[in-house]
Amino acid sequence: MKDLIATALEAANAAGATYADARVVETRHERLSVRTGRVDGVESGESLGIGIRAIADGAWGFAATSDLSTNGVTSAAREAVALAQAAATTARRPVALAPVDAYTDTWTGPCVTDPFTVSLDDKLALLLLADDVLRAEAAVRVTSTSMNFLAVRKVFGSTEGSLIEQSYVESQAGLTAFAIGDGEMLPRSYPNNLGGQAVQGGWEAILALDLPGHAPRVAEEATALLSAAPCPARETTLIIDASQVALQIHESIGHPTELDRILGDEAAFAGTSWVGIPDLGTLRYGSEQVTVTSDATIPGSIGSFGYDDEGVPAQRDHLITNGVLTGFQTSRESALAIDRTSNGCMRADGWQRQPLIRMTTVSLEPGEWALDDLIADTDDGFYFETNNSWSIDDRRLNFQFGCEIGWEIKNGTLGRMVKNPNYTGITPEFWGSCDAVCNRDHWQVWGIPNCGKGEPMQVAHVAHGAAPARFRNVRVGVAR
């Protein structure tokens, strides 16, 4: 791989590039799914290629190829430079990059047991066992269990002297029971919906989830939802579980603090932002309880790495400090707009795509409450768990989220179950109403491997650390 990098950089230099970088990326993936007692799918694949960025005449060019012969790589490098020279004829301003040191390094993510060495029979047996337990409940008529695995090896090099090799393995698994009755089909999932929890790690991470052990509770709750009361519509106090807080962070803090959106350089697929550069250091984004970090160094998070796809070291940075906006997620180019160096958020979906600013692990820092104490401290309200739907405008300001299950809180105690719970809000008002966050005992990093952005769309693997949190004066029950 390193020889390919050298070939690409030499060819780009010879063609007239003033800067170039190249990434050779090799991936392997596997997906298994079981649906209602039957194996629904087993698929796998591999990919290998090189992507080359070049700056020439003050503009960017990018080209990629899976032809890794000397001629193939050289041709792609020349194409990247030619595209940059063509783009320069219409560029509004010359590209400038914030400085970064040159690194020669190797980074490897955590993995005890390579999941690709575990037999398909063993993997499917675990999914089928969990599926059997789910279907023991008579009202559970449809079930879904799945696993996903990804192995990545990539080498990055630049004309500034960096040469970085990284490798990691991701594992994901989860289950969902669908209870059917009286014209309704209601889901209940574990550990969350959309395929379950995703982490950097191996087969040991799948076993730790204990899918069969959690299946009875999931099936029982799905069944109980059929006879639960609809969530009433009113303004009230709301506690949401950590997995839902994670998605709330993703949509209403993670995306709006991506600096390419704020600068107007990126609007495709997922919109722009309600935040502006003058807001930095002054905008009250939330209450004093709301401190949010971007951290690519958390072990086991799918938002972690050694270096981003510009060769910038992984780091931890504050986005919101005690409710005030204090940072953005940046690239080398965008960081200059706020007179900072990059905090390492540029990543690409494979060798054939240019890197974009993507979330790493954007987290709400833990508070001081135990969940039982927080519920006991709430006279009247609701507790919602597990996302079921979401909707948010392109500027990430107005939103509505639905959850799988909820419970009323009366006089500090969880009361009757409610179905189809949902809530709505406006981003700064909602985070401004946060008056309590649970402590580190309840804090967990939730992997989100399906974050879409860009055109053509790229899928990024990101994560969010979160604990249950309480919000005042929230409108719930708004979808009926």
Side-chain angles (χ1 to χ4, degrees):
M1 285 185 170
K2 294 177 181 177
D3 290 343
L4 297 174
I5 296 292
T7 298
L9 297 181
E10 289 172 7
N13 266 333
T18 54
Y19 168 85
D21 60 38
R23 289 173 296 110
V24 180
V25 184
E26 181 178 24
T27 62
R28 180 182 181 186
H29 76 270
E30 184 178 78
R31 172 176 170 76
L32 304 88
S33 60
V34 167
R35 192 170 181 83
T36 320
R38 295 183 177 181
V39 175
D40 185 53
V42 176
E43 62 177 80
S44 61
E46 298 177 350
S47 175
L48 174 63
I50 186 170
I52 304 161
R53 293 195 312 173
I55 298 175
D57 298 339
W60 281 114
F62 175 79
T65 181
S66 59
D67 178 358
L68 298 181
S69 67
T70 299
N71 285 339
V73 172
T74 300
S75 294
R78 290 171 177 165
E79 182 180 357
V81 175
L83 288 169
Q85 292 166 337
T89 61
T90 58
R92 291 176 296 173
R93 59 183 184 275
V95 173
L97 302 178
V100 63
D101 291 338
Y103 295 92
T104 301
D105 200 1
T106 300
W107 182 88
T108 304
C111 178
V112 176
T113 302
D114 183 349
F116 293 96
T117 67
V118 178
S119 72
L120 287 177
D121 287 346
D122 287 348
K123 294 170 181 171
L124 289 172
L126 182 58
L127 293 179
L128 287 165
L129 174 59
D131 182 89
D132 282 345
V133 178
L134 289 176
R135 288 184 294 111
E137 283 282 338
V140 174
R141 306 286 294 279
V142 177
T143 57
S144 175
T145 60
S146 64
M147 294 178 187
N148 290 287
F149 302 101
L150 174 69
V152 177
R153 180 188 175 211
K154 60 182 173 182
V155 177
F156 169 90
S158 74
T159 52
E160 295 175 333
S162 283
L163 187 59
I164 301 163
E165 181 172 357
Q166 302 185 83
S167 60
Y168 56 89
V169 173
E170 295 180 1
S171 298
Q172 178 187 17
L175 55 80
T176 301
F178 296 88
I180 298 176
D182 296 329
E184 287 186 299
M185 183 168 75
L186 297 168
R188 190 72 182 109
S189 305
Y190 169 80
N192 57 11
N193 68 348
L194 298 176
Q197 173 69 314
V199 301
Q200 276 187 3
W203 182 243
E204 71 282 356
I206 301 297
L207 297 179
L209 290 173
D210 187 16
L211 297 181
H214 286 271
R217 174 187 58 81
V218 170
E220 290 168 5
E221 290 183 351
T223 300
L225 282 169
L226 290 176
S227 56
C231 180
R234 62 189 174 98
E235 187 172 288
T236 187
T237 297
L238 176 63
I239 300 173
I240 54 178
D241 81 310
S243 67
Q244 175 60 28
V245 171
L247 190 59
Q248 184 77 51
I249 296 167
H250 181 91
E251 301 293 359
S252 63
I253 295 178
H255 278 309
T257 57
E258 295 166 339
L259 189 52
D260 55 350
R261 288 169 172 264
I262 295 166
L263 292 171
D265 294 334
E266 168 59 39
F269 191 75
T272 58
S273 175
W274 67 280
V275 176
I277 290 178
D279 294 329
L280 190 63
T282 61
L283 175 67
R284 177 147 291 280
Y285 209 110
S287 70
E288 289 280 339
Q289 312 302 319
V290 178
T291 291
V292 176
T293 55
S294 171
D295 190 345
T297 69
I298 298 174
S301 167
I302 64 171
S304 289
F305 44 80
Y307 298 82
D308 75 355
D309 287 338
E310 290 191 313
V312 177
Q315 52 199 278
R316 173 184 167 89
D317 202 3
H318 275 67
L319 301 178
I320 299 171
T321 305
N322 298 124
V324 177
L325 180 73
T326 51
F328 299 128
Q329 301 165 82
T330 65
S331 63
R332 291 185 64 186
E333 184 176 3
S334 65
L336 281 182
I338 55 173
D339 295 323
R340 295 189 179 186
T341 57
S342 171
N343 54 15
C345 293
M346 285 288 272
R347 289 189 291 160
D349 180 8
W351 52 268
Q352 68 275 43
R353 297 283 185 260
Q354 298 185 71
L356 302 171
I357 294 177
R358 306 310 298 262
M359 288 174 250
T360 59
T361 303
V362 176
S363 305
L364 175 65
E365 293 299 298
E368 297 179 348
W369 287 82
L371 179 57
D372 288 346
D373 292 341
L374 188 59
I375 292 171
D377 186 66
T378 304
D379 292 333
D380 181 63
F382 288 90
Y383 173 61
F384 291 175
E385 281 189 354
T386 315
N387 183 263
N388 191 31
S389 66
W390 66 95
S391 176
I392 190 164
D393 67 59
D394 282 354
R395 297 177 64 229
R396 305 284 155 169
L397 194 55
N398 298 278
F399 61 80
Q400 179 176 312
F401 288 100
C403 293
E404 289 185 353
I405 194 168
W407 290 268
E408 285 185 326
I409 302 174
K410 293 290 186 184
N411 300 317
T413 303
L414 288 183
R416 65 171 181 164
M417 180 183 293
V418 295
K419 62 184 173 185
N420 297 318
N422 55 67
Y423 64 97
T424 188
I426 298 172
T427 294
E429 294 178 3
F430 180 78
W431 286 108
S433 76
C434 179
D435 74 341
V437 181
C438 285
N439 62 33
R440 191 163 291 277
D441 291 342
H442 302 279
W443 195 86
Q444 181 177 349
V445 174
W446 296 88
I448 296 180
N450 61 340
C451 175
K453 182 178 177 181
E455 188 69 42
M457 189 182 78
Q458 298 189 37
V459 176
H461 294 199
V462 307
H464 305 287
R470 186 173 65 187
F471 302 84
R472 300 291 192 180
N473 305 316
V474 179
R475 287 182 55 81
V476 304
V478 294
R480 292 182 298 111

